[in-house]
Amino acid sequence: MKKNGFFRGFKIFGGNLIAIALLGLVIIGSLLLGIGTYFLGFAGFFYIFNVEYDSLYYLLLFLIFFFILSYFTKLIAKLSLIIFGPYLKTKKRFIGMKFILITIALWLAIFIIDEMMVEITVPIWTEILGALLLSIADTAFKGKMKKIVIIKKK
């Protein structure tokens, strides 16, 4: 019986194991590309605004702590939005309050990490601008993802 499948061409080289390993490498490569882009984006942003840091290791440590802490601060912001959401009468006020709360949450994460790490010195206006840019990107990409999901459901 002849099998017609995706992995049939890999039987010569040792079976499905090679296909799965190659697929894993592609997934790991794409994850590393995304993380590297985010890292270099932060490094470029810090370079433009003359943020002083001792080495790239401390910048990577800053980003790791930022990911962890921003998750919790954004969670608190979303919970407070759930609490105050019914009091906001229009959709514009709700979106504006969401944007403000996410910006404050991201700024708080950057501020706390900046104060904890003495190896990195970020001026206050750079912290605010970074939080503002991140919240704009967060809002823009969240809207696109919801549109994609809605289109796929139809």
Side-chain angles (χ1 to χ4, degrees), residues 10 26 55 57 63 67 91 94 96 106 132:
F10 291 103
V26 167
S55 68
Y57 170 75
L63 287 176
F67 280 133
K91 188 175 181 179
F94 183 81
L106 289 172
L132 189 64

Side-chain angles (χ1 to χ4, degrees), residues 10-11 17 23 25 34 38 41 46 49-51 56 62 70-71 73 82 85 91 96 116 119 123 125 151 153:
F10 291 103
K11 294 288 185 191
L17 186 63
L23 185 64
L25 284 175
Y38 200 79
F46 281 174
F49 290 100
N50 294 325
V51 175
L56 291 177
F62 181 87
S70 68
Y71 175 77
T73 56
I82 290 171
K91 188 175 181 179
M116 284 185 351
E119 293 85 6
W125 292 109
I151 289 171
K153 285 183 179 179

Side-chain angles (χ1 to χ4, degrees), residues 9 17 33 36 42 46 65 70 75 93 98 132 136 141-142 151 153:
L17 186 63
L33 180 69
F42 251 92
F46 281 174
F65 287 145
S70 68
L75 183 66
R93 286 185 182 179
K98 179 181 177 184
L132 189 64
I136 289 171
F141 289 127
K142 292 281 182 179
I151 289 171
K153 285 183 179 179

